[in-house]
Amino acid sequence: MKIVGIDLDGTLLNSSQKISQENAAAISQVSEDVFPFICSGRELGDIQRLLQTVNLEMPMVALNGAVAYDKGELLYDREISQADVQAIHQVIADFPLKVYTNEKKYECADYVKKATELYQENAADFSENSLKYLLKYENTSKGTIFESINEIYQNKQMKVYKFFVYLPSISLKQAAMKKLNQIEGINATESAEDNIEIIAGDVSKALAFTKITQHYQFHNPMTVAIGDSLNDLEMIEAADMSFAMANSHPTILAKASHLTVSNDEHGVAQAFEKLQLA
């Protein structure tokens, strides 16, 4: 049995944030000994919506490995402690941010306005594609506005799975990461150079391999990872076989055991062709 973790943005999704028919066909036509699943930084609703556009159904691991579902069944989840939620917010409160919970997705007031202004103040650090991508993403992914983080962490029934911060400033991001890395109970990573993604310390996309193996009672499966960005790193390192997209972060290119073509050239489909021969 081969279990295959597939990232979305920059991997299965092309630059238009769509799943190509070539990629969809490659996944839907796998043999019985190949078990694919999505492993993304996105929330479950986003993942499900994208899969439905090409009539795909498979297990979904969301929010960088913090929560997973299959056919409406919760497979596992991992939350950030309330103490760490408060500590994180002290570092990132002034930046455009989103908070993903077991109830809904929240975002700070005027998220898009703050993100746009922050980009304009630091435009020399990143190309216009940084802001264009964020604005395109926001057209399909709105959150509930919160005025104070107290609304979230004082609710004892609410689980906080992930923080997302848009931070298109090299100096501000370095300073924030330095502070976040001092909080022992969390894992701060990125899905692009202009953001920070924060999850619980024992969470990464690699956790999905263990949890899926246990849940489905697979015996000693071969693990395969397909990804492109730094939040895929643990998954790439943990896998028995791994594929880096041609558009990957340099670290992913260096760590992966195999290279496939870019996300705009149906790289996942090519990876599955190679995987069938392995």
Side-chain angles (χ1 to χ4, degrees), residues 4 13 34 40 87 91 93 103 115 125 127 130 144 165 175-176 209 212 215 223 227 239 253 259 261:
V4 188
L13 300 181
V34 177
S40 172
V91 177
E103 295 186 4
D125 286 358
S127 74
S130 169
T144 299
V165 189
F209 286 140
I212 284 178
H215 181 84
T223 55
L253 289 170
L259 177 67
V261 294

Side-chain angles (χ1 to χ4, degrees), residues 4 21 41 48 51 53 55 62 78 84 99 122 126 135 150-151 154 160 190 207-208 217 223-224 252 254 272:
V4 188
Q21 291 298 324
Q48 192 168 36
L51 293 179
T53 63
N55 296 314
R78 289 285 190 277
D84 286 337
V99 187
N122 300 276
F126 294 94
L135 295 177
N150 293 337
E151 300 171 33
Q154 287 185 355
V160 176
E190 66 177 48
L207 178 65
Q217 299 182 339
T223 55
V224 183
I252 302 301
F272 269 82

Side-chain angles (χ1 to χ4, degrees), residues 188-208:
T189 183
E190 66 177 48
S191 57
E193 293 183 348
D194 59 7
N195 68 45
I196 300 176
E197 299 187 338
I198 308 160
I199 49 182
D202 63 345
V203 171
S204 73
K205 291 186 178 184
L207 178 65

Side-chain angles (χ1 to χ4, degrees), residues 129 234 263:
N129 290 334
E234 289 92 344
N263 61 323

